[in-house]
Amino acid sequence: MIQLPNSVKAYFHASNEEQLDSFLDAFKEDAYVFDFNREFKGLEAIRDWCKSDILDVHVRFDITDAWEQEGAYIVIASLDGEFDKTNLPDPLLLIHTFKLSEGKIQELHVSLP
């Protein structure tokens, strides 16, 4: 597994530790998140997404694989938390594709493998 950039490591660490400010510090001001057909543009929208979809349901990520491809960082992570797991695979794996600018997350795409 590759060494991940600080902003990518901060995304997972801040999520697991439920640290909203540290989570947001990993993103550029005009960042964009695409999470399963939902789009969030800018830090305010990303803050609301983080609170409702990650922090409020106590999501915990465990990175299982990571690599760099064409300037993007792809991370596969299993996740658990206090959310409805009906009809979800076990383990639940998500692909996070990060594009960075000036060391911070400019774009994040979250999808199933």
Side-chain angles (χ1 to χ4, degrees), residues 59-72:
V59 166
R60 295 292 178 268
F61 292 104
D62 183 25
I63 296 173
T64 61
D65 200 2
W67 63 93
E68 185 177 0
Q69 181 176 319
E70 298 176 8

Side-chain angles (χ1 to χ4, degrees), residues 18-61:
E18 299 185 9
Q19 298 172 341
L20 180 60
D21 290 340
S22 295
F23 182 91
L24 294 173
D25 284 345
F27 287 86
K28 299 246 332 161
E29 188 75 30
D30 61 346
Y32 168 81
V33 173
F34 183 82
D35 181 27
F36 293 100
N37 299 322
R38 298 178 303 152
E39 297 181 348
F40 305 93
K41 296 178 183 177
L43 283 183
E44 186 174 326
I46 293 169
R47 174 186 292 111
D48 293 343
W49 167 72
C50 176
K51 287 173 70 176
S52 67
D53 287 26
I54 298 172
L55 302 184
D56 287 353
V57 293
H58 309 289
V59 166
R60 295 292 178 268
F61 292 104

Side-chain angles (χ1 to χ4, degrees), residues 3-22:
Q3 179 68 22
L4 293 170
N6 288 336
S7 58
V8 174
K9 290 190 290 190
Y11 168 89
F12 290 106
H13 179 76
S15 297
N16 289 345
E17 298 298 320
E18 299 185 9
Q19 298 172 341
L20 180 60
D21 290 340
S22 295

